[in-house]
Amino acid sequence: MTASPPSASTDATNGHAPDSGSSPKKDDTPDPRAQQLARIYALLRLTLVITIVVLLIWVVGDVLMVIFAATLVAVILHNLAGLLERRTHMPYWLSLTAVVVVIIGALTGLIWSSGPEISEQALKLRTALSEQAHNLRDSMGHSSTGRMILDNLPTTLGGNEQAASSGGFGSLAGSMTGFVSSAFGAAGTLAVILIAGLYFAISPELYVNGMLRLIPHEYRHTSRELLLTAGRTLWAWTAGQALDMTVVGLLSFIGLWCIGVPLALALGVVAGMANFIPYIGAFVGAVPAVLIGLSQGTREGFMVLGLYAAIQFFEGNVMAPLIQRHAVQMPPGLTILSQTIFGTILGIPGLILASPLTAALLATADRATPKLKDDERV
């Protein structure tokens, strides 16, 4: 006996509605209120992150600068060891050991051969600059304009204005940011930077992978690419700046020696090291030489000023384009602005490390953001 097919009423009784095209469709239109709440949540989250970062920089800025300086040292050692490893096919640890030994040997040889002379010239340079600053202050005190400048110049720069002390959270932040310098001093901080940088260079993947584990899984690949981009940028900037510093230091020493300015070697070293800070460093390195030149006579002072102007012209129009062709291009306005900002917040360490930090931030931002289309450009 053949069973009859179930009817529509049977389907309805069993709880199964008959398949018909008249069933209502699901509305996929997004809720405007939910979208607005999501945007507000994203804005609040971004504001919170920026606030935390600013507070960290304000409270423990010196510690962050030590970490960044150690990272910069690690990038230099790691890339030098990588170059030696590719050229000689030695293991990485052996290449790193050879790089460290060569650097220590070079510094030891420099100190052994020229250390006493550099130290003697540095002491003479300090004495001469102190005398020139004292004479300049005395001459400014005899005029109304000079007295006005001295009254508005802080005592740290030789003026008469006393810095106002701040209390509350500002003093707490100042004491926290000065922890490194007060606890270790300059030599101890430098030792911490070098030792930490060496450990970072020995096994960089250990520290980078540890950072990546703290990032959510969906952002790890992008974060890894950004970290690698920042590392490559720091190495390119450091290599280019080292070449620039060497050329400026040698040209300054040779030019001052030809003019007959005393302490030419020490002044050349100062000019080369000061050039680590773009633009501002050129002025800082030239001031001692000009003062020493003026102590020898007006003619010598103007000759030193012309020498440094010619060196900076050569550096800015010949050296810098050649270096930036293979290294990092940084807009001059942004470079000076970053030096002002970091120098104001973090003091001398921020001023020194502003340029490599800005270069790394620019490179990561360029990698993380989409390129502008032709119709979007100004």
Side-chain angles (χ1 to χ4, degrees):
M1 186 175 179
T2 306
S4 59
S7 61
S9 59
T10 306
D11 289 339
T13 304
N14 294 334
H16 301 286
D19 188 12
S20 63
S22 60
S23 60
K25 290 185 179 180
K26 199 173 187 180
D27 189 9
D28 294 333
T29 305
D31 186 7
R33 188 169 180 273
Q35 287 183 330
Q36 186 178 8
L37 290 175
R39 286 195 293 266
I40 294 175
Y41 172 73
L43 181 60
L44 290 176
R45 185 173 58 183
L46 178 62
T47 304
L48 180 62
V49 170
I50 294 176
T51 303
I52 292 174
V53 171
V54 171
L55 285 176
L56 282 176
I57 293 175
W58 185 25
V59 176
V60 291
D62 282 355
V63 178
L64 295 179
M65 286 295 99
V66 169
I67 295 174
F68 179 74
T71 303
L72 188 61
V73 172
V75 168
I76 296 172
L77 294 177
H78 175 71
N79 282 275
L80 289 176
L83 288 175
L84 186 61
E85 180 185 13
R86 289 190 294 270
R87 296 292 179 87
T88 62
H89 303 287
M90 293 191 303
Y92 174 77
W93 68 268
L94 188 58
S95 300
L96 181 61
T97 303
V99 167
V100 173
V101 169
V102 169
I103 292 177
I104 294 176
L107 292 176
T108 304
L110 178 63
I111 294 173
W112 182 267
S113 60
S114 303
E117 182 181 0
I118 294 177
S119 300
E120 182 181 358
Q121 290 201 11
L123 291 175
K124 290 181 179 179
L125 176 61
R126 180 179 179 180
T127 304
L129 290 178
S130 299
E131 293 177 356
Q132 291 298 317
H134 183 72
N135 294 334
L136 180 61
R137 178 182 171 85
D138 289 341
S139 62
M140 292 177 65
H142 294 304
S143 64
S144 58
T145 303
R147 286 194 298 270
M148 183 184 65
I149 294 175
L150 290 175
D151 291 338
N152 291 277
L153 201 65
T155 54
T156 54
L157 297 178
N160 300 326
E161 184 181 8
Q162 297 290 336
S165 59
S166 60
F169 190 77
S171 60
L172 173 63
S175 62
M176 290 293 291
T177 53
F179 169 75
V180 175
S181 58
S182 61
F184 299 104
T189 303
L190 181 60
V192 169
I193 291 173
L194 296 178
I195 294 173
L198 178 60
Y199 277 113
F200 289 167
I202 290 174
S203 53
E205 66 281 350
L206 175 65
Y207 303 96
V208 175
N209 292 336
M211 291 178 57
L212 292 176
R213 290 184 63 182
L214 301 176
I215 300 174
H217 180 73
E218 59 269 21
Y219 301 112
R220 286 180 183 174
H221 180 73
T222 302
S223 300
R224 176 182 178 273
E225 293 299 323
L226 294 179
L227 287 174
L228 292 176
T229 300
R232 289 191 294 266
T233 303
L234 287 176
W235 166 244
W237 185 91
T238 305
Q241 202 65 19
L243 177 61
D244 191 81
M245 291 167 60
T246 303
V247 172
V248 169
L250 286 175
L251 291 178
S252 301
F253 165 64
I254 295 173
L256 293 172
W257 180 76
C258 293
I259 294 175
V261 176
L263 312 174
L265 179 59
L267 291 171
V269 172
V270 169
M273 294 181 64
N275 218 59
F276 183 83
I277 308 174
Y279 305 110
I280 296 178
F283 175 78
V284 173
V287 168
V290 173
L291 290 176
I292 298 299
L294 288 174
S295 67
Q296 303 298 308
T298 306
R299 175 175 171 271
E300 285 77 5
F302 280 106
M303 289 180 66
V304 172
L305 186 61
L307 169 67
Y308 275 80
I311 292 174
Q312 291 305 317
F313 179 82
F314 171 78
E315 187 268 340
N317 294 277
V318 179
M319 287 293 301
L322 291 176
I323 293 173
Q324 290 181 353
R325 188 179 303 174
H326 304 284
V328 181
Q329 296 186 11
M330 288 182 58
L334 186 59
T335 302
I336 297 176
L337 184 61
S338 67
Q339 291 171 350
T340 304
I341 294 174
F342 286 109
T344 302
I345 297 175
L346 303 172
I348 299 299
L351 178 64
I352 294 174
L353 298 175
S355 295
L357 182 57
T358 304
L361 292 176
L362 281 179
T364 53
D366 181 69
R367 184 63 182 268
T369 55
K371 303 290 184 183
L372 290 176
K373 298 179 182 179
D374 292 337
D375 58 345
E376 297 175 339
R377 296 180 180 273
V378 178

